[in-house]
Amino acid sequence: MNLTGGISWHWMAWRSQTRWAPTAHAIEQWLLQSAQALPSKYKLEKPSLLLIGASAGWMMSSQWLSQFARVDTFDIDPLAAFLFKWRHGAALKAQNTALECHTQDALQNLPVLLEAHPNACVFFDNVLGQMRFQHAAADWQLVEKKIQHFKVQLKGREWGSIHDRMSGRLNARIAVDSALPIRQPEWNEQHWLTQLDAQSPWLDHLTQNVFAPGSRVQDFAWNFSPIYRHWLQAAWVRP
Ligand SMILES: C[S@@+](CC[C@H](N)C(=O)[O-])C[C@H]1O[C@@H](n2cnc3c(N)ncnc32)[C@H](O)[C@@H]1O
């Protein structure tokens, strides 16, 4: 059973498109800006991308994807390939971006994928923060260890991730017309959680060490439901 995706994820994402749109838009802006900062070798030649945990790309930007020469998506969910092509296929085709959608455990197969695509960038699309649901709660150290091991496997590679850092219930329902909270650089974690209206305790998604200290990490609020919010973090790691 897929505890982090599958039919229930597609149903929830399809129904929540309007509520999730401000976060998807903020992620798109961040991705487009980060593309401008790609190393010079990629400015001469369009890179290719391995997108891991792609699902149907419910929160992924077609515009950003179409900057790549080729996109390979990976998900364990057998519905994901068909739905990803349905949502992003036409936009990518219009920009001559080749698209291949694979059904497989890309976390388990990461070394093989990296070897098969030696020049591709890698982006973990809201999947690393889901690993805790694929392990027993008591195995949290194993999850953190596995994440550290991915970093070793990715050494020398251009890679990025967006993932849950924490999530949980709120003190009050989110007002329909309220603006999405934006983290100010001077806010510490506690101040940010207060701005998110987090009702303690929040769930730790075990991703606090994905990025090395000092990385340029971007924070996002995600109104998952009127009473439940996620705190997402994203960054690129450049060799
Ligand atoms: C929270 S969903 C994110 C979906 C997607 N990024 C989007 O915007 O719609 C996490 C996805 O990761 C997939 N996933 C979980 N473990 C995986 C693995 N080992 N390899 C590939 N995909 C995986 C799940 O099937 C699910 O579709």
Side-chain angles (χ1 to χ4, degrees), residues 186-218:
E186 66 275 16
W187 290 354
N188 63 20
E189 206 166 274
Q190 194 48 51
H191 192 151
W192 171 231
L193 287 169
T194 306
Q195 296 303 312
L196 290 172
D197 197 26
Q199 186 189 94
S200 186
W202 262 29
L203 181 72
D204 187 329
H205 287 255
L206 308 178
T207 51
Q208 67 174 337
N209 296 320
V210 171
F211 304 122
S215 305
R216 263 179 83 175
V217 177
Q218 182 71 42

Side-chain angles (χ1 to χ4, degrees), residues 2 4-6 9 52-60 74-77 104-108 125-127 130 134 222:
N2 184 352
T4 73
W9 167 254
I52 298 181
S55 184
W58 289 104
M59 299 187 75
M60 181 38 69
F74 299 89
D75 203 296
I76 50 175
D77 169 10
Q104 62 168 278
D105 184 336
L107 297 178
Q108 181 73 30
D125 191 11
N126 198 355
V127 65
Q130 310 298 312
Q134 295 164 325
W222 174 21

